[in-house]
């Protein structure tokens, strides 16, 4: 039940932050926080990361759903077969982030991104993220690390 709570907390948490960003952040304006280390700015991303497939929304929706189904199937497998906790937490975060962004695409036609990292590299500074993007990254990382750690699984 704990992994379902992680999933729901991450999914609903980012959904709430996205709705707040939609309501409070003006489009195209940058607000500096944390000593100008983080920029709040609203962007409607019709594609995947960096706008990838923004011109093919049907392909994006179907491929995202396929990836989510694959991760869900994998998660069910190791939930039933005694997978490692780190993998289960990773799967919950990955699924929450992916589902939240997919939900936005289905219901709005775009994903609301709302913050950037101000750093020296312009390529990074120009990216705009949401919490789901970090859940996807961290979840993938945890699953990968967990799969490499020694341990037994039930057969």
């Amino acid at each position: 039940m704990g992994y379902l709570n992680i999933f729901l907390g991450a999914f609903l948490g980012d959904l709430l932050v996205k709705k707040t960003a939609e309501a409070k952040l003006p489009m195209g304006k940058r607000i500096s926080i944390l000593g100008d280390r983080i920029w709040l700015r609203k962007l409607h991303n019709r594609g995947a990361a960096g706008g990838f497939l923004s011109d093919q929304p049907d392909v994006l929706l179907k491929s995202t759903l396929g990836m989510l189904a694959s991760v869900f199937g994998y998660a069910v497998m190791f939930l039933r077969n005694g997978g490692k906790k780190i993998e289960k937490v990773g799967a919950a975060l990955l699924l929450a982030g992916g589902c939240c962004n997919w939900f936005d695409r289905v219901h709005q036609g775009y994903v609301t991104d709302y913050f950037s990292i101000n750093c020296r590299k312009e390529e990074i500074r120009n990216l705009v993220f949401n919490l789901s993007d970090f859940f996807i990254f961290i979840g993938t990382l945890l699953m990968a690390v967990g799969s490499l750690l020694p341990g037994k699984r039930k057969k």
Side-chain angles (χ1 to χ4, degrees):
M1 194 60 153
Y3 305 108
L4 180 59
N5 290 337
I6 292 170
F7 170 86
L8 288 173
F11 179 88
L12 295 173
D14 188 41
L15 203 59
L16 178 64
V17 173
K18 285 176 183 172
K19 296 303 175 199
T20 303
E22 278 292 338
K24 303 219 180 228
L25 290 177
M27 188 67 81
K29 185 172 180 175
R30 184 177 76 202
I31 300 167
S32 295
I33 62 170
L34 298 176
D36 202 37
R37 290 183 185 100
I38 302 290
W39 293 338
L40 298 178
R41 56 185 178 167
K42 181 169 58 175
L43 173 78
H44 292 164
N45 185 357
R46 297 193 180 279
F52 179 67
L53 290 177
S54 59
D55 58 340
Q56 299 178 26
D58 288 341
V59 171
L60 179 60
L61 279 175
K62 289 175 185 172
S63 61
T64 302
L65 188 58
M67 286 186 270
L68 288 170
S70 297
V71 172
F72 180 77
Y74 183 70
V76 167
M77 178 190 72
F78 63 71
L79 281 170
R80 293 182 67 206
N81 296 326
K84 299 169 202 144
K85 288 182 181 180
I86 191 170
E87 288 178 296
K88 294 174 186 178
V89 170
L93 289 173
L94 173 57
L95 286 168
C99 286
C100 194
N101 280 345
W102 185 81
F103 179 86
D104 280 354
R105 283 190 192 99
V106 168
H107 291 279
Q108 300 176 154
Y110 57 84
V111 172
T112 302
D113 292 327
Y114 46 82
F115 71 90
S116 299
I117 300 167
N118 184 12
C119 66
R120 291 182 186 176
K121 290 196 173 214
E122 187 175 352
E123 300 84 19
I124 294 173
R125 200 172 49 239
N126 288 335
L127 295 174
V128 187
F129 302 96
N130 60 49
L131 282 178
S132 286
D133 297 333
F134 283 94
F135 295 149
I136 291 166
F137 176 76
I138 292 166
T140 302
L141 184 66
L142 291 176
M143 287 179 68
V145 167
S147 71
L148 298 173
L149 291 175
K152 294 181 182 178
R153 292 182 191 229
K154 296 177 191 174
K155 293 191 178 192

